[in-house]
Amino acid sequence: MSKLLDLLAQQKQLEEQIKSLQSNEQEAKVMKFVEELEALRNKYGYKVPDFLDVVHSLHRVKTPAKTAQSVSVKTTRAKAPKFKVMINGVETILQSKKAGAVSKTIAALGFTTYADYLSDLIKKNKVTDFDALIKKLNGVPV
């Protein structure tokens, strides 16, 4: 019996709070909006969780039902310029990037990476960078 009286007292307090909130203009707008949402949910026969998914997907709070796939545009990188040079009587093609392919000629000279070969050439020719090396070896663009 006391539980029933407690619930009735709570109900009375809640009704009073609702009336005071309805008198507030901002709260009244919220109440009206909630009633309209409930009417829409009932009109289309949605269960509460399904209806929430629909509303959330509208504002992308959750993953939308289906989105168009994004398409990435691939841009081609400008390739490093290549130069023909004569090294020890052998015509060789050099390029400025450090990650060049190790050709059989470079591997035969004992280098495992193109960067090592390039830095060795720069050191042997007593220059500071690739551009100076090309200039010293009279490199021709390919």
Side-chain angles (χ1 to χ4, degrees), residues 58-124:
L58 175 66
H59 294 286
R60 300 192 189 281
V61 174
K62 273 191 161 184
T63 306
K66 185 120 184 171
T67 58
Q69 279 187 327
S70 64
V71 178
S72 62
V73 178
K74 289 187 178 183
T75 56
T76 57
R77 284 192 216 160
K79 292 186 177 181
K82 295 181 179 182
F83 299 93
K84 256 187 211 179
V85 294
M86 291 295 282
I87 300 174
N88 299 330
V90 179
E91 189 176 274
T92 308
I93 294 178
L94 298 178
Q95 63 187 52
S96 63
K97 69 178 188 174
K98 297 281 184 182
V102 179
S103 66
K104 290 179 185 177
T105 311
I106 295 172
L109 294 172
F111 296 101
T112 55
T113 64
Y114 182 76
D116 291 342
Y117 174 67
L118 207 55
S119 61
D120 185 61
L121 276 177
I122 290 172
K123 199 182 298 178
K124 281 183 182 175

Side-chain angles (χ1 to χ4, degrees), residues 33 37 52-65:
F33 179 70
L37 278 176
L52 288 176
D53 284 344
V54 169
V55 174
H56 283 172
S57 68
L58 175 66
H59 294 286
R60 300 192 189 281
V61 174
K62 273 191 161 184
T63 306

